[in-house]
Amino acid sequence: MAKTSKGTLYRGQAHGQWSWVAHRITGVAIFFFLLVHVLDTALVRVSPEAYNAVMETYKNPVMGLGEAGLVAAIVYHAFNGLRIILIDFWKHGTRYQKQLLWGVLGLWLVVMIPFLVRHLSNVFGG
């Protein structure tokens, strides 16, 4: 009797399910950042002094870590979005989705490590 695979493309296998969850979480996080960004940038038209005051509150290590988290979310979301496109439109995409996920994670590390070294040295070093 032949062994059959249970689950669908994203459900039933850990790598597909967790990448799906992470893609949704990063998408929502990016959306809320953009909402706040539009609102605080619009403040410059209402009151440049208030805008400057808000910008000053962002200059602290906690916000620096938040910026690093935002970049991490954007980079993952972008690379995973390309992975999803490949799965959807490449005829071998479903067969190689696990390898594509490892590629996403590898590219994410290649981009994030140099960024974090530079960004965190600026946040905490000077």
Side-chain angles (χ1 to χ4, degrees):
M1 195 156 128
K3 184 177 179 182
T4 60
S5 175
K6 291 186 178 183
T8 64
L9 182 59
Y10 292 111
R11 297 179 67 147
Q13 297 180 6
H15 59 275
Q17 188 68 28
W18 286 114
S19 65
W20 181 89
V21 169
H23 197 74
R24 291 340 181 253
I25 290 170
T26 56
V28 169
I30 293 165
F31 169 78
F32 281 113
F33 162 76
L34 289 173
L35 179 65
V36 170
H37 178 64
V38 167
L39 292 174
D40 66 16
T41 302
L43 190 58
V44 76
R45 305 275 288 162
V46 176
S47 169
E49 297 80 21
Y51 172 80
N52 289 334
V54 169
M55 291 299 111
E56 282 301 313
T57 65
Y58 291 162
K59 295 178 183 177
N60 64 65
V62 172
M63 291 304 290
L65 290 173
E67 289 172 341
L70 174 65
V71 171
I74 291 169
V75 171
Y76 173 81
H77 195 81
F79 287 149
N80 196 56
L82 293 173
R83 175 184 160 268
I84 292 169
I85 290 170
L86 283 172
I87 290 170
D88 288 344
F89 293 107
W90 180 38
K91 70 178 181 177
H92 300 294
T94 54
R95 182 181 311 155
Y96 295 108
Q97 74 162 325
K98 189 173 185 178
Q99 292 86 345
L100 290 169
L101 177 60
W102 284 111
V104 165
L105 297 176
L107 286 171
W108 183 82
L109 284 172
V110 165
V111 170
M112 287 306 299
I113 290 171
F115 166 76
L116 287 173
V117 168
R118 178 156 176 115
H119 179 69
L120 295 178
S121 69
N122 288 336
V123 169
F124 294 109

